[in-house]
Amino acid sequence: MSESTSFVRLFVGILLSATGVHASCPIELSPPSVVVRYGDSVSVNCSTSESLYEGMGWEATQGGTGITNATHLVWTVENLTDWTISPICFINSLQNSKFQQCSNKPEVVLYTFPDSINIRPSSAQDYVMNEGKKYNFTCDIHNIAPVQNLTVMWYKGGEMVYEDTFDNPHKEPVDQSSVFSFTPSRQDNGVTFRCEAHLDLWPKGPQLNASSQEYNITVYFGPDVHCSSILLNKLELLEGETLERQCNVTGHPPPDVTWLKDGQPTDPTVPLSRKDTGLYTIKAEGARLSQKELRVLVLYGPELTCPNNYTAVEGAPYNLTCIVEGYPKPEIIWSKDGEEVELPENLTRSDSGQYLITASSNLSSVNHTVEINVIYPPSQIVELEDSEVDIGSAVWLKCVSVGNPRPKYFWNYYRTANVIEENEDGVSRLHIHNATIYNMGSYTCHASNDRGNVSKTARVTVKGAGQECPIKITPERMVVQYQSRGQNATCKETDSHVKEIYWQGVQNKSTIWSADTDKDWAPRPVCNAMLKSTETCRKYLNFTLYKTPDSVSIGLVNNLSSVLEERELQLQCHITNVAPAGNLVVRWYRGNETFEPLNKVTGCLPQSNTNCDISVVRSPLNVSSTISITLNRNHNGAEFRCDALLDLGPEGPQPPPNMMSSPLNITVNYKPSINTTKLPKTIPVFRGYPEELVCEADGHPPPEIQWLYSSDLVPRLSGNTLTVFEAGFYNCSATNQVDSISHEVQVILKEDYLPLIAGFVAVTVVAISIFFLFIYSIYYKNTRMRRYSLKNPKLDTHSGNVAHNGWDMQFPMTKLS
């Protein structure tokens, strides 16, 4: 069939299709698609179920046919070689007096697949690879089609590591390559690589595959130096160990290893000593030169050298030296009696004793015992006290002092035959037996050693061997007012054993003493007596110089102007320039009645003297007394006063001098309270009649009263009286500075039914009156007026004089003759 004829048929078919003569093509292809290897035969049967048509044919570059009137026609090619072939089966039919052409074409896939594929590295020397370097492998597949169905898989050993696909839509055969990039590690030494080509034509065709030859690689790596116990380039070894096998050197090809110390070769098999600590280099030669510097530390010890005994002076620097060697540096621990201690810079007596010194490291530990002896002078003497003994009785005097070396004792006293000295176990004792007056006096004990000496004196008094000090002071107690004059005290002996008597500090040793009442606030007048037995005695005069206060005032703590009800407040009474303050008491008054017990003053005013111990200071002070009270509303406006009373005892002025403060008026503020008895919660109001609501509240300051209607936004009235006309809720609020309270009143509006009731009663009375009038009128007509009806009279059968009307009512009647 000529190409011009085919073109005309194709044009006619397109024209018929464009006219829209048919909607579907009744052509069946068997099979509808075929997959054919290049050069193989192929056949496709075209059939139709259409009965009216004018020919069927195949149009193709290989195996095309002419037009026939058969119902089926096979397209056959013995040797298919056209890669772009697209056969078309068509029919021409006559319908509705018009030509109709339709066509259908099978899917033809022509493929070719190589018998073998090849793998190759990027260069011929790439069978030897260096670790960490990137390399490429190429898989060559020649004369393959269609390439878009090709998949290349890469295998390392037996594991797939990469898959490569292609998007080339060309149907013609091509030479296709797949590239795989690979970075080897030392674990890849000796591994094999291969590639596989898969042509997947399923489900209409076969699944073909081919594998390349295996490619074996050699990986060079290292040398690498790994030291198992190294940390921060430091290698720690015990003394006696060797460098051999301390570091592992790996690499391919196997490297040569050399150890260097300070740049010089050294034998790693020789045992190390503590002197071998230093900087080492391990040098490895293989695929490349590698070296590693590290510091080798030789561990040894600990070793401890220390004296067995050491003597030190208390409080002085010491030079106890213990030598400790070892690496790592040992830790030194001192312990005494099982407890860890730390020696101070200067030793004391309590530091004497046996110490255990422990030097330890993570390798081992060693111990050493040292005895430290701290020498010190004798301590102050204890247990030697003044003693009193009855005449003829015995007494012990004990002298104890601690020192190192142990102190020696020596006594000073008036020696008599009845006193015995004993020294035992660091303690010295004096035994006085059968005491007499000659044993009365002072006894001094001395304790000494090489570092110093101490002493202490005690006095022994023999009761019954002497009398009370023979002195009489007149008066025994002297109370004098500030700046008064003319009062003296005298001192006299009471027996003949007094050799001399006088007031201490008085000129010419006078027996008369007078006070300077301008400044002698705390004198200690003492009268001394020298006895003929060379003993002395004394007596003191009890003397008091007093001064009444300059002023007394009362006030509130913190200077408050007012107080709140039921809140605790403090009242303070200020007393200025009074002496002695220790004899001062304060009385508190509310009105004219006292309400607290007598109080002592509690302290000085802030501006008073620096020394303010009122039990000691006898000069004038500014002092205060403070009490805490709680007030209620009944105390509002009450007057409070304080009274300062100087109680000097029976020797002082009688009655005791006192001074009263000016009154203090206290304002008590309290919250409002509303009188609910006059203002109940519910109040009825009759319509049309106003009602006054009166809100009365008590409080201080006087509360402000406001009325608020429930629907109002602002107060309706300020004042206690509110006139209401309508129902609702009315709120009375009472407010002052202390608090605010409110009271709500509900006004209920009621109707005034009194006029209605009165009207109803009036109407009822009128109606009843009319009714009775009506009844009365009827009765009056029928009885009083004697109007009778004689129509149809009936005679009574019982009495002929009685007639009946129609209602059977009886009326008296007289029969006329």
Side-chain angles (χ1 to χ4, degrees):
M1 182 174 60
S2 65
E3 294 182 358
S4 59
T5 305
S6 298
F7 177 76
V8 170
R9 290 177 177 174
L10 181 60
F11 176 76
V12 171
I14 293 173
L15 180 62
L16 291 174
S17 299
T19 59
V21 174
H22 65 281
S24 62
C25 185
I27 294 177
E28 293 183 3
L29 299 177
S30 179
S33 60
V34 292
V35 178
V36 184
R37 190 181 185 91
Y38 180 79
D40 286 356
S41 62
V42 62
S43 63
V44 177
N45 180 48
C46 179
S47 61
T48 181
S49 59
E50 183 69 33
S51 58
L52 298 176
Y53 67 95
E54 288 188 359
M56 172 187 292
W58 281 94
E59 188 174 287
T61 56
Q62 280 187 283
T65 65
I67 298 175
T68 65
N69 291 324
T71 59
H72 61 87
L73 184 62
V74 178
W75 173 70
T76 302
V77 178
E78 295 296 331
N79 183 10
L80 185 59
T81 58
D82 187 357
W83 293 100
T84 60
I85 192 167
S86 181
I88 298 174
C89 177
F90 62 90
I91 60 173
N92 296 323
S93 61
L94 182 63
Q95 292 183 0
N96 299 325
S97 300
K98 293 183 180 180
F99 283 104
Q100 178 182 4
Q101 185 182 66
C102 69
S103 63
N104 200 352
K105 58 182 179 179
E107 180 184 2
V108 179
V109 178
L110 189 60
Y111 72 91
T112 180
F113 189 73
D115 294 333
S116 64
I117 59 178
N118 180 52
I119 185 173
R120 57 184 173 85
S122 55
S123 64
Q125 291 78 21
D126 283 350
Y127 70 92
V128 177
M129 300 181 177
N130 291 321
E131 183 182 33
K133 184 178 178 181
K134 187 176 181 179
Y135 295 88
N136 292 330
F137 288 98
T138 303
C139 184
D140 295 323
I141 304 102
H142 299 288
N143 197 31
I144 180 73
V147 71
Q148 64 181 4
N149 292 76
L150 175 66
T151 300
V152 178
M153 298 181 181
W154 288 88
Y155 290 85
K156 184 177 76 170
E159 179 184 3
M160 188 186 76
V161 294
Y162 180 63
E163 183 178 270
D164 198 6
T165 58
F166 308 93
D167 297 330
N168 190 347
H170 294 292
K171 298 182 178 182
E172 295 83 356
V174 296
D175 293 335
Q176 186 64 49
S177 296
S178 175
V179 178
F180 171 61
S181 296
F182 171 68
T183 302
S185 66
R186 61 191 64 193
Q187 288 78 18
D188 296 322
N189 183 42
V191 78
T192 59
F193 285 87
R194 63 186 177 88
C195 63
E196 287 186 1
H198 293 260
L199 190 65
D200 188 4
L201 301 172
W202 183 263
K204 301 172 184 177
Q207 290 179 312
L208 306 174
N209 61 78
S211 179
S212 71
Q213 77 280 11
E214 290 188 343
Y215 189 86
N216 186 272
I217 66 171
T218 298
V219 180
Y220 280 2
F221 60 89
D224 294 330
V225 180
H226 299 281
C227 300
S228 58
S229 59
I230 190 172
L231 181 63
L232 300 177
N233 291 330
K234 292 182 181 180
L235 179 61
E236 296 182 344
L237 299 176
L238 293 175
E239 192 172 29
E241 290 185 329
T242 65
L243 294 171
E244 191 177 23
R245 299 188 183 89
Q246 296 299 327
C247 294
N248 183 30
V249 182
T250 58
H252 188 261
D256 294 329
V257 180
T258 304
W259 283 85
L260 304 174
K261 181 187 179 186
D262 299 330
Q264 300 298 321
T266 184
D267 187 356
T269 62
V270 175
L272 297 175
S273 69
R274 63 191 66 179
K275 297 180 181 179
D276 292 323
T277 295
L279 186 64
Y280 287 75
T281 302
I282 181 170
K283 184 178 179 181
E285 296 185 53
R288 56 182 175 83
L289 175 62
S290 177
Q291 58 184 20
K292 184 179 184 67
E293 287 189 351
L294 52 91
R295 179 168 293 278
V296 175
L297 304 173
V298 180
L299 310 180
Y300 65 95
E303 298 172 355
L304 178 60
T305 304
C306 202
N308 295 328
N309 297 282
Y310 181 75
T311 300
V313 177
E314 184 180 38
Y318 62 93
N319 58 354
L320 175 58
T321 302
C322 293
I323 301 175
V324 182
E325 294 182 327
Y327 186 84
K329 184 179 180 180
E331 180 185 5
I332 307 299
I333 297 177
W334 289 68
S335 57
K336 180 182 180 183
D337 299 330
E339 294 184 0
E340 184 177 336
V341 296
E342 184 176 349
L343 289 184
E345 293 183 1
N346 296 319
L347 296 175
T348 64
R349 62 195 67 184
S350 62
D351 296 320
S352 294
Q354 189 177 76
Y355 289 81
L356 179 66
I357 307 173
T358 302
S360 61
S361 67
N362 56 2
L363 301 179
S364 64
S365 64
V366 293
N367 298 325
H368 185 82
T369 301
V370 60
E371 186 78 27
I372 295 179
N373 182 31
V374 180
I375 60 176
Y376 50 91
S379 64
Q380 294 296 320
I381 293 174
V382 296
E383 298 189 43
L384 180 59
E385 303 294 341
D386 293 343
S387 299
E388 188 176 65
V389 60
D390 293 329
I391 189 167
S393 299
V395 66
W396 287 90
L397 296 181
K398 184 178 180 181
C399 181
V400 178
S401 177
V402 179
N404 191 18
R406 177 178 288 178
K408 296 179 180 180
Y409 296 98
F410 173 74
W411 289 88
N412 277 337
Y413 61 96
Y414 179 71
R415 299 183 182 273
T416 59
N418 62 340
V419 180
I420 300 175
E421 294 185 22
E422 295 180 0
N423 291 297
E424 182 181 359
D425 197 20
V427 178
S428 181
R429 294 180 177 86
L430 281 184
H431 182 206
I432 303 174
H433 59 91
N434 194 19
T436 68
I437 191 172
Y438 299 104
N439 299 123
M440 184 182 297
S442 298
Y443 291 78
T444 301
C445 176
H446 300 269
S448 63
N449 64 7
D450 295 339
R451 301 302 304 166
N453 62 83
V454 293
S455 63
K456 185 177 181 181
T457 299
R459 181 172 181 79
V460 174
T461 302
V462 180
K463 293 191 300 181
Q467 298 178 353
E468 182 183 358
C469 189
I471 295 176
K472 181 179 180 181
I473 296 176
T474 305
E476 293 184 353
R477 180 168 183 249
M478 189 174 178
V479 179
V480 181
Q481 187 175 6
Y482 174 66
Q483 292 183 340
S484 65
R485 301 289 184 268
Q487 298 189 49
N488 299 320
T490 60
C491 177
K492 294 181 179 181
E493 69 275 7
T494 59
D495 61 31
S496 60
H497 293 285
V498 177
K499 181 178 180 181
E500 185 180 16
I501 188 169
Y502 58 91
W503 284 100
Q504 183 173 313
V506 177
Q507 293 181 356
N508 301 323
K509 294 186 177 181
S510 175
T511 59
I512 299 175
W513 178 86
S514 61
D516 185 350
T517 58
D518 291 329
K519 60 181 180 180
D520 277 348
W521 294 105
R524 290 281 289 169
V526 57
C527 181
N528 295 325
M530 178 70 70
L531 306 181
K532 293 178 181 180
S533 60
T534 71
E535 293 291 325
T536 61
C537 64
R538 59 178 55 185
K539 277 190 176 182
Y540 291 91
L541 170 65
N542 186 353
F543 175 78
T544 301
L545 179 62
Y546 73 91
K547 181 184 180 302
T548 58
D550 288 349
S551 65
V552 177
S553 61
I554 186 173
L556 288 172
V557 176
N558 299 328
N559 295 322
L560 298 175
S561 61
S562 61
V563 297
L564 293 179
E565 182 183 30
E566 303 301 333
R567 296 283 182 88
E568 185 180 82
L569 63 96
Q570 289 185 322
L571 289 176
Q572 193 170 66
C573 187
H574 298 167
I575 305 101
T576 59
N577 207 24
V578 63
N583 293 77
L584 193 65
V585 292
V586 177
R587 291 180 295 193
W588 296 91
Y589 288 86
R590 181 169 57 236
N592 295 320
E593 296 180 358
T594 60
F595 65 95
E596 284 286 338
L598 295 180
N599 282 6
K600 289 288 187 180
V601 293
T602 56
C604 295
L605 296 178
Q607 67 274 20
S608 188
N609 309 62
T610 302
N611 184 4
C612 191
D613 187 349
I614 61 177
S615 64
V616 176
V617 178
R618 304 184 66 81
S619 59
L621 294 174
N622 297 333
V623 294
S624 66
S625 176
T626 304
I627 61 169
S628 296
I629 60 175
T630 302
L631 301 181
N632 56 39
R633 60 189 66 192
N634 296 326
H635 298 134
N636 183 34
E639 286 187 351
F640 290 84
R641 292 174 297 159
C642 63
D643 183 22
L645 181 72
L646 199 56
D647 186 4
L648 299 170
E651 296 83 4
Q654 299 298 329
N658 69 301
M659 180 176 286
M660 183 78 71
S661 71
S662 299
L664 171 67
N665 291 321
I666 296 182
T667 299
V668 180
N669 292 339
Y670 51 93
K671 65 181 182 180
S673 62
I674 296 176
N675 186 355
T676 57
T677 58
K678 292 186 179 181
L679 191 65
K681 286 187 171 293
T682 305
I683 296 178
V685 175
F686 291 101
R687 186 184 303 274
Y689 295 90
E691 182 74 19
E692 284 189 350
L693 305 182
V694 180
C695 180
E696 294 180 354
D698 179 33
H700 195 274
E704 178 186 357
I705 296 178
Q706 288 186 332
W707 283 97
L708 181 69
Y709 184 48
S710 58
S711 61
D712 293 343
L713 298 179
V714 296
R716 170 167 290 195
L717 177 65
S718 294
N720 63 343
T721 303
L722 175 68
T723 302
V724 296
F725 297 89
E726 53 185 330
F729 289 91
Y730 295 84
N731 190 291
C732 170
S733 65
T735 305
N736 64 6
Q737 298 174 359
V738 181
D739 202 354
S740 177
I741 63 171
S742 62
H743 180 72
E744 189 177 63
V745 177
Q746 182 181 9
V747 175
I748 302 173
L749 192 63
K750 293 188 175 182
E751 294 294 339
D752 187 3
Y753 294 105
L754 186 58
L756 293 177
I757 293 174
F760 177 76
V761 171
V763 171
T764 304
V765 170
V766 171
I768 294 174
S769 300
I770 294 172
F771 177 75
F772 276 101
L773 288 174
F774 176 74
I775 297 297
Y776 179 77
S777 63
I778 293 175
Y779 174 76
Y780 184 81
K781 289 178 181 181
N782 294 331
T783 60
R784 296 297 181 92
M785 297 299 295
R786 301 291 182 178
R787 290 180 181 181
Y788 304 107
S789 175
L790 298 179
K791 186 179 181 179
N792 299 322
K794 294 180 180 180
L795 295 177
D796 187 5
T797 56
H798 301 290
S799 176
N801 297 327
V802 178
H804 294 264
N805 61 5
W807 296 315
D808 199 20
M809 295 184 62
Q810 296 180 5
F811 295 96
M813 299 183 65
T814 300
K815 184 176 179 183
L816 300 179
S817 56

